[in-house]
Amino acid sequence: MGEAIVITSGKGGVGKTTTTANLGTGLALYGQKKVVMVDADIGLRNLDVVMGLENRIVYDLVDVANGVCRLKQALIKDKRFENLYLMPAAQTKDKTAITPEQMKKLCDDLKKDFDYILIDCPAGIERGFKNAIAGADMAIIVTTPEVSAVRDADRIVGLLEASGFEEPKLVINRIRPDMVKRGDMMDIDDMIDILAIELLGVVPEDEKIVVSTNRGEPAVADETSKAGKAYRNMVARLQGQDVPLMPMENIEPSFMDKLRMFFGLKARTR
Amino acid sequence: MTNEPVIIKGTKEGVTIVVEENSNFEDVKKIIYEKLQNSRNFFTGAKVSLKAKNGFLKKEDYTKLQEILSDFGMSLQEAKSPKTLIFPKPNRSRVLLLKRTVRSGQKISYKGTVVILGDANPGSEIVATGDILVMGTLRGMAHAGAAGDTSAIVAAFRLQPTQLRIADVISRPPEDKEQSPLFPEIARLKDNMIVIEPYNSLK
């Protein structure tokens, strides 16, 4: 039996789809796991575009839920990465086209064949969100270092806790170490202090993400990308490995850190 | 420790009489009387302070002791308040204890006192007819004395609310506040204004 993980955020545009694409590809590529990514954003599907698989869609999630086709017919196999599949959303319908119960059944069916089911949740807290979390066992919350995104993430954690999710994990996306250092951006500790959930990883702002998204090639496979490295670390952590947060460039050790190092203590890793 | 209901001690400030918890007052009276009788004149002129282990003595008992002591030529001093820091005791009978973080979009409404063992995050609302105590960081909105009780208080380990309301008075933190203090604070109504003080006394 596989594990279904929903990737959610509340706020839009913080990187749910990018995170789903990269973690999914990473788990298949480096973890040698059988992975399916489910796009739950019916009516505003993006995951297929980010993965570069748009032109191969024949059937979608709604067709499977309504019995128009069999589950396997809607799954798109990614030819570049072995073990990686996509379940696309419908673009011509809306969130009410499926129910949470149908979504749960779909996830249960997928769990029989796959190790990981990554569900890309739409923004918001309404029907689309309820559909997306219905079949999930675990949640990953994506936020950016902005007050509004953290506020929405906090709301989502509250809703997830009310739905019985015990330990959601946090991904902090698009952090800019230089701005954090100047005090112009919330730092990681501020966000963890408010959200009080376990940190899965921190992704630095990286131009390569824009390029890879437009080309439909996940950055996780790009060895030269900083963001890609962050995603690879997260893939390892998801599989139970203990990987320290990677040091971000432009962050020099502070005086206290230097002092700690001088006395042979571990400097705080960022 | 002895099980004697009364201990008489000499201290810097004079003589202290300590009354043990749950002791019968008649016994206490008798013992004090006997002890003073045995050491006739020794205590004459001494200033005496009285300490009761259970925190308080009944007013009539206090007066009776005062009489006995003055018979022996001793004067009773007003008891000093203890210096120990105690979080205010909720004075309303109903108390809601929450052991979790109250998150954005969550609203706690309660007839009585609300105690939160955790944080109240921005975007959360806590409304209580009694007091609100947050044993963590209060970052959201808190409304104490929501039914009109002007004696209600809001206390937090770190008081950084978006907005504070007590009874029908609404206030928000000053805009120029650079850094919140790193100590517990308490908010209460004084002259129809919400005032915030460091929480370090029971005054």
Side-chain angles (χ1 to χ4, degrees):
Chain A
M1 281 292 273
E3 188 181 23
I5 305 172
V6 61
I7 288 112
T8 179
S9 70
K11 192 176 180 296
V14 295
K16 287 178 295 296
T17 303
T18 311
T19 303
T20 308
N22 282 289
L23 290 183
T25 308
L27 282 168
L29 188 60
Y30 300 99
Q32 309 293 323
K33 292 286 178 357
K34 214 173 167 200
V35 181
V36 59
M37 299 177 289
V38 179
D39 191 349
D41 201 349
I42 302 164
L44 287 168
R45 71 176 178 207
N46 285 151
L47 190 55
D48 52 328
V49 184
V50 171
M51 290 302 297
L53 299 171
E54 189 183 11
N55 54 11
R56 293 185 44 203
I57 299 174
V58 179
Y59 293 109
D60 56 49
L61 184 73
V62 179
D63 293 329
V64 177
N66 293 334
V68 175
C69 68
R70 281 175 288 113
L71 183 67
K72 294 240 163 82
Q73 285 178 294
L75 286 173
I76 299 169
K77 186 179 180 334
D78 193 316
K79 285 176 180 147
R80 297 161 297 177
F81 310 103
E82 206 173 334
N83 293 329
L84 184 64
Y85 293 79
L86 171 74
M87 168 71 76
Q91 182 71 343
T92 54
K93 308 197 173 71
D94 66 22
K95 308 284 190 280
T96 57
I98 60 164
T99 63
E101 292 73 33
Q102 287 175 318
M103 193 67 188
K104 184 162 189 330
K105 185 178 179 300
L106 182 95
C107 288
D108 288 343
D109 291 343
L110 287 170
K111 274 195 234 175
K112 289 171 196 156
D113 290 329
F114 292 90
D115 297 314
Y116 285 100
I117 296 112
L118 299 187
I119 305 154
D120 184 19
C121 180
I125 54 172
E126 295 84 14
R127 179 69 171 269
F129 169 74
K130 284 172 188 146
N131 282 342
I133 66 166
D137 309 307
M138 188 194 130
I140 292 175
I141 291 157
V142 184
T143 188
T144 55
E146 289 164 72
V147 181
S148 52
V150 174
R151 188 71 54 90
D152 291 0
D154 190 44
R155 176 92 170 102
I156 291 293
V157 177
L159 291 171
L160 286 171
E161 281 171 351
S163 303
F165 286 82
E166 274 169 11
E167 284 170 354
K169 292 192 166 56
L170 182 67
V171 171
I172 297 172
N173 200 9
R174 304 188 69 169
I175 201 153
R176 289 182 53 180
D178 53 329
M179 286 184 72
V180 174
K181 202 186 168 196
R182 287 202 304 269
D184 293 337
M185 187 176 259
M186 290 177 92
D187 77 7
I188 298 166
D189 291 344
D190 292 341
M191 285 179 269
I192 292 177
D193 197 31
I194 288 185
L195 296 173
I197 58 173
E198 196 192 322
L199 185 66
L200 179 65
V202 180
V203 187
E205 176 84 68
D206 187 351
E207 284 183 5
K208 285 188 175 143
I209 289 288
V210 181
V211 180
S212 71
T213 300
N214 290 341
R215 283 194 190 146
E217 294 163 356
V220 69
D222 181 352
E223 299 282 345
T224 63
S225 160
K226 269 254 164 197
K229 173 93 166 67
Y231 284 120
R232 287 197 291 280
N233 285 346
M234 277 188 253
V235 166
R237 287 186 202 112
L238 270 179
Q239 295 177 96
Q241 292 174 39
D242 196 9
V243 187
L245 287 180
M246 64 176 182
M248 303 229 167
E249 40 178 20
N250 303 333
I251 286 197
E252 283 198 0
S254 68
F255 174 72
M256 281 309 290
D257 285 343
K258 278 182 188 158
L259 206 65
R260 283 195 194 96
M261 280 187 262
F262 180 77
F263 288 111
L265 295 166
K266 214 174 91 183
R268 284 201 294 174
T269 43
R270 281 269 158 90
Chain B
M1 284 297 285
T2 52
N3 286 326
E4 274 189 82
V6 179
I7 301 164
I8 300 182
K9 290 195 288 196
T11 63
K12 259 199 313 216
E13 287 89 23
V15 179
T16 306
I17 298 176
V18 184
V19 180
E20 279 293 329
E21 227 170 325
N22 305 324
S23 44
N24 183 324
F25 184 69
E26 288 306 315
D27 290 348
V28 170
K29 217 166 64 177
K30 217 173 85 191
I31 292 166
I32 291 180
Y33 191 83
E34 278 169 8
K35 282 199 175 182
L36 292 177
Q37 194 115 54
N38 292 340
S39 52
R40 200 169 255 299
N41 298 334
F42 182 76
F43 291 114
T44 310
K47 287 177 180 172
V48 181
S49 53
L50 202 57
K51 263 190 198 165
K53 280 270 176 79
N54 63 352
F56 60 92
L57 274 172
K58 273 186 234 154
K59 205 167 180 194
E60 60 214 64
D61 295 347
Y62 190 82
T63 331
K64 271 180 204 159
L65 282 180
Q66 211 164 13
E67 279 165 18
I68 297 174
L69 290 170
S70 61
D71 285 348
F72 287 91
M74 298 157 81
S75 55
L76 191 57
Q77 290 178 313
E78 281 297 317
K80 279 181 198 160
S81 60
K83 279 187 176 164
T84 7
L85 189 73
I86 310 163
F87 230 68
K89 217 180 200 172
N91 53 2
R92 283 98 188 153
S93 50
R94 277 159 57 89
V95 176
L96 175 70
L97 180 67
L98 284 175
K99 290 183 201 168
R100 62 179 176 92
T101 307
V102 184
R103 296 182 182 277
S104 176
Q106 296 178 332
K107 182 172 181 175
I108 310 295
S109 268
Y110 191 69
K111 275 185 190 156
T113 292
V114 175
V115 179
I116 294 166
L117 295 179
D119 296 344
N121 278 354
S124 66
E125 291 181 17
I126 300 155
V127 179
T129 56
D131 300 333
I132 295 170
L133 309 182
V134 180
M135 314 296 264
T137 310
L138 170 58
R139 301 187 185 91
M141 195 281 283
H143 189 179
D149 181 359
T150 51
S151 69
I153 57 126
V154 178
F157 188 59
R158 296 286 181 268
L159 192 65
Q160 303 162 4
T162 333
Q163 198 183 79
L164 270 186
R165 299 179 193 168
I166 296 177
D168 52 1
V169 182
I170 299 176
S171 81
R172 56 189 166 83
E175 303 270 330
D176 56 347
K177 207 172 190 178
E178 278 190 359
Q179 185 139 36
S180 321
L182 295 174
F183 46 77
E185 291 180 292
I186 183 165
R188 66 174 95 233
L189 271 187
K190 264 185 194 161
D191 304 325
N192 222 30
M193 294 234 300
I194 296 180
V195 292
I196 293 171
E197 298 162 335
Y199 186 74
N200 54 15
S201 72
L202 274 175
K203 273 186 284 185

